[in-house]
Amino acid sequence: MDTSNIVGLVIQASYFAAAVLLIMGIKRMSSPVTARSGIQWAGVGVLVAVLATFLHGGPGHVLIENAALIFVAIAISTAAAWYSGKKVAMTDMPQMVALYNGMGGGSAAAIGASALLGVALSATPGVGLTMTQKVLAVIGALIGSISFTGSLIAFAKLQGLMDKTFRFKGQQVVNGLCFLAALFFGAVVVHHMWPHAIVIFFVLSLLFGILMTLPIGGADMPVVISLYNAFTGLAVAFEGYVQQNVALIIAGTVVGAAGTLLTRLMAKAMNRSISNVLFSNFGAGGGAASEIKGSLKPIEADDAASLLYLAEKVIIVPGYGMAVAQAQHKIWELSQALIKRDKDVKFAIHPVAGRMPGHMNVLLAEAGVPYDLIADMDDINPEFPNCDVAIVIGANDVVNPVAKTDKSSPIYGMPILDVALAKQVIVIKRGKGTGFAGIENALFYQDNCKMLYDDGKEAANKLIAGLKAVDGGGGH
Amino acid sequence: MIDGFLALYLFMLAAFTGHEIISRVPVILHTPLMSGSNFVHGIVLVGAMIALGEATTPLQQVIGFVGVFLGAGNAAGGYVVTERMLEMFKSSKKEGGN
């Protein structure tokens, strides 16, 4: 066996090992007990594959030059991504996932572009791609491009860099035409391999990713990010086929399938169907909803503290607003002050509290809240009627009773936490604005609901001080 | 050459694998798992490295460079944020250790 054969064998063996490690990694990440080691297994898998790829040769005259380019690109990008990933606040995780996912989609599209242009501009037509490879290169590039620009828009929206929604009349027609045009030029590329058609095809694909994501509201973003995650997986698998690289095919397809299932689970948790998310204008019909009767009743922190002092059972309903105000540590302090006074304290988590399913659990865990105090929606809902005081902090749409009562409301049918049934409700809120979906909250107007207008952290501080003022801080 | 039905079988089996391994995942793991699978397709970096490694024209080198840059960001960023999220799971009493 000569050297190149041995090198080839080493590379193939490394890719095989990587595929096994990645699958085992995802498997381990799907259980809380093994989740932490899962990402490490997967990490080793990618590392092994990347190191082995440095052994992969190339055209002699540019070998060193290309190797240097690869090294520089990896060094800069890894450093930037590593730094931003370490630095980002837990609350901003979803948009970072969107950003990194988009980069993966863009990378897959670049592989497709390189392969297609390589054939189109080649002086020797003999060396090329098979028909299947051309078709998959085009489809992979289309999906990857959509994931790339779509994820960037999702990132920009969640990061607050652009308006939440962007809609105009006939938008779906324009989007549809753009998609069909991209498909048409994709077909032209497959048949004729014209360089100009390749360029137009990519422009249209990238444009469609933007157009498709613009009208989708912020509340639906998690589902969209998850969908684009599955898209990137598929794009990677298809470009893997073009390169005849089994590791890419397997890892990409596994993520594509797992991501599709995950997207459906998320959509189900939010009571939305995927087609609903993509093609309906969520939150646009706010004006059509029925009028809400009653008034907003403000409460001072001292009075709220007295209510808490007299309560036996307290349920805290945290939402994304709490995390934005960085109030989770203070809220846990408040909970500890209540527990010290023999109150039964629980945290009620809506499946989509935060920005993504499970996001709020991560945020509370970060603040040190023990797991046994955190209850899922289905477990906690029967307890609300026995609850003396429910504290809603930074949550809005997930406690809005119109989801059950008002058929004209855009959130009608979404499962909610039954906070409205608690004996007393204290809503800690910075101002009078509406929630992420832009809908008025009927809970706030109920007779048993009082509004504590303050910053989350400040409010928690004042409540702790108020409790101390009532009993001198000693508890018993 | 992986072609025809062999490729179809490969896609089919991998798709079933992906579906099966996460079919019973609890809601609290949705976000970390999405982030984790986001890292897994960071393997695209390998493909981009090969594309750039085999580039012969300046145009291909530019595209390849962009591909490697984006792929490395996917892999590195995806790993860091997933690890940070899963880090949280060690503090819970119920699910400690691994």
Side-chain angles (χ1 to χ4, degrees), chain A residues 199-222:
Chain A
V199 174
I200 298 172
F201 163 73
F202 272 96
V203 170
L204 286 169
S205 302
L206 293 167
L207 181 66
F208 179 69
I210 297 174
L211 290 175
M212 180 176 156
T213 321
L214 278 177
I216 300 173
D220 284 333
M221 256 334 136

Side-chain angles (χ1 to χ4, degrees), chain A residues 15 22-23 26-27 29-33 35-36 39-40 42-43 46 49-50 53-54 56 58-59 62 65-66 69-70 73-74 76-78 81-82 85-88 90 93 97 100-101 103-104 106-108 110-111 113-114 117-118 121 130 133 225-226 229 232-233 236-238 241 243-246 248-251 253-255 257-258 261-262 265-266 356-359 361-362 365-366 371-372, chain B residues 1-4 7-8 10-98:
Chain A
Y15 288 173
L22 287 174
I23 292 175
I26 299 188
K27 172 75 190 156
M29 275 187 269
S30 66
S31 156
V33 185
R36 286 183 67 226
I39 183 64
Q40 286 150 5
V46 170
V50 167
T53 307
F54 272 109
H56 189 95
V62 283
E65 198 180 319
N66 284 348
L69 284 173
I70 291 174
I74 292 181
I76 299 173
S77 184
T78 303
W82 199 275
K86 282 276 182 213
K87 218 186 68 162
V88 64
M90 275 293 159
M93 276 307 175
V97 173
Y100 300 140
N101 173 54
M103 293 177 87
S107 184
I111 295 174
S114 180
L117 283 170
L121 299 174
T130 66
Q133 281 175 312
I225 296 172
S226 179
N229 184 40
T232 304
V236 171
F238 289 163
Y241 179 87
Q243 288 193 336
Q244 292 290 300
N245 186 328
V246 190
L248 261 65
I249 298 178
I250 292 177
T253 310
V254 166
V255 173
L261 180 62
L262 201 56
L265 291 176
M266 278 194 187
M356 286 198 246
H359 190 200
N361 302 68
V362 173
E366 189 194 16
Y371 257 73
D372 44 352
Chain B
M1 187 80 188
I2 311 152
D3 212 348
L8 267 181
L10 193 56
F11 278 120
M12 186 268 290
L13 290 172
F16 269 107
T17 308
H19 197 273
E20 279 307 307
I21 53 179
I22 69 149
S23 54
R24 276 180 302 278
V25 57
V27 173
I28 57 162
L29 277 175
H30 279 186
T31 297
L33 189 63
M34 179 168 125
S35 176
S37 60
N38 173 42
F39 165 71
V40 167
H41 64 53
I43 187 99
V44 69
L45 170 59
V46 167
M49 286 170 72
I50 294 173
L52 177 49
E54 290 179 345
T56 46
T57 64
L59 178 64
Q60 278 183 309
Q61 285 179 321
V62 170
I63 295 171
F65 187 86
V66 172
V68 172
F69 182 88
L70 293 175
N74 182 181
Y79 184 85
V80 173
V81 295
T82 309
E83 211 194 12
R84 278 187 57 197
M85 274 190 236
L86 292 174
E87 187 84 354
M88 305 299 168
F89 285 89
K90 76 178 168 193
S91 57
S92 82
K93 292 170 277 180
K94 233 165 37 183
E95 289 132 359
N98 53 65

